[in-house]
Amino acid sequence: MIKEYKTVLNEAVAQTEEKKSRFIASVKHVKCEEEALEFVSRLKTQYWDATHNVYAYHIVGDSVIQRFSDDGEPSGTAGIPVLEVIKKTGIQDVVVVVTRYFGGTLLGAAGLIRAYGKCAAAGIEAANIVKRLLCQEIIVIVEYTIFGKVQNKLEVDEYIIKEINYEQDVQLTVYIPVESTEVFIKNLTELTNATAIIEAKGEVYITVDQNGKIINT
């Protein structure tokens, strides 16, 4: 499994205009090609009267799937620029549909490439780029007398604390990057003189914003 990757958080729409042609970018996070094609179909139905509904998607699973369509625009002037924006941004598991309503003025090949790329970028920005991290979810139970020391260590090492429950002892749920799990357990065991109860619950992907703060999804 991929240890970390970037994607978009929200379904979003952004609009731009170029020489009276109106461009509408619709962006969505998808898990598979079927979801991407369903989104494309939905947008084509929604914007049935548009001049073009150009799309591109980039999905990474067992293999990389990337497709694009110029939808009647000159070859290489629409779908590829949208796909290139996706790849340049470094995101995956995303589909972008850029709808165009022709405004009466031809843009030329260079103008189309610029217009479709610009609108796609605006849509992706509106969808909020986030990072997905593969982590081990770990339960840590410690006595109140050493809780402060443990919490400080977690914060200094910038581990993500999901929640803290104060009961007979203190129970913390912590997300640890999978590659750091062994080191984390070793260091915490030493820090607490082996008094901490440490239980690995399994690997999960978590979503964090650009500042590393966890986002509940």
Side-chain angles (χ1 to χ4, degrees), residues 22-200:
R22 184 161 61 102
F23 294 84
I24 307 167
S26 303
V27 183
K28 184 182 180 182
H29 168 77
V30 292
K31 297 177 181 178
C32 62
E33 188 170 20
E34 182 180 8
E35 287 186 9
L37 293 174
E38 287 176 355
F39 185 69
V40 172
S41 178
R42 170 156 67 89
L43 268 296
K44 285 186 174 182
T45 299
Q46 179 178 343
Y47 298 114
W48 61 271
D49 58 340
T51 315
H52 305 280
N53 284 293
V54 169
Y55 69 82
Y57 54 84
H58 180 72
I59 303 165
V60 179
D62 294 332
S63 60
V64 177
I65 301 173
Q66 56 183 34
R67 304 277 190 271
F68 65 87
S69 169
D70 293 313
D71 194 36
E73 293 281 31
S75 179
T77 64
I80 288 181
V82 174
L83 181 60
E84 287 302 312
V85 169
I86 293 173
K87 294 168 69 175
K88 183 178 180 180
T89 310
I91 58 176
Q92 66 183 56
D93 298 350
V94 65
V95 56
V96 180
V97 180
V98 180
T99 300
R100 181 190 183 190
Y101 285 90
F102 182 57
T105 302
L106 296 174
L107 300 181
L112 287 172
I113 291 170
R114 181 174 60 252
Y116 276 104
K118 176 183 177 182
C119 190
I124 290 171
E125 182 178 0
N128 190 6
I129 297 176
V130 293
K131 185 182 292 185
R132 297 272 287 166
L133 302 176
L134 182 61
C135 292
Q136 181 70 242
E137 182 177 350
I138 294 181
I139 302 296
V140 178
I141 301 175
V142 296
E143 297 177 351
Y144 281 88
T145 54
I146 59 172
F147 165 62
K149 182 167 62 173
V150 170
Q151 184 181 29
N152 181 66
K153 175 65 174 175
L154 294 175
E155 292 176 350
V156 167
D157 290 345
E158 298 184 342
Y159 291 126
I160 297 173
I161 301 174
K162 177 186 178 183
E163 61 183 4
I164 302 174
N165 292 317
Y166 301 91
E167 299 178 355
Q168 182 175 348
D169 293 311
V170 184
Q171 178 176 303
L172 304 94
T173 303
V174 188
Y175 289 127
I176 308 298
V178 288
E179 67 274 14
S180 303
T181 301
E182 289 186 10
V183 172
F184 169 79
I185 293 174
K186 178 179 179 293
N187 290 342
L188 193 61
T189 300
E190 292 177 354
L191 180 69
T192 63
N193 293 319
T195 60
I197 298 173
I198 305 171
E199 180 184 359

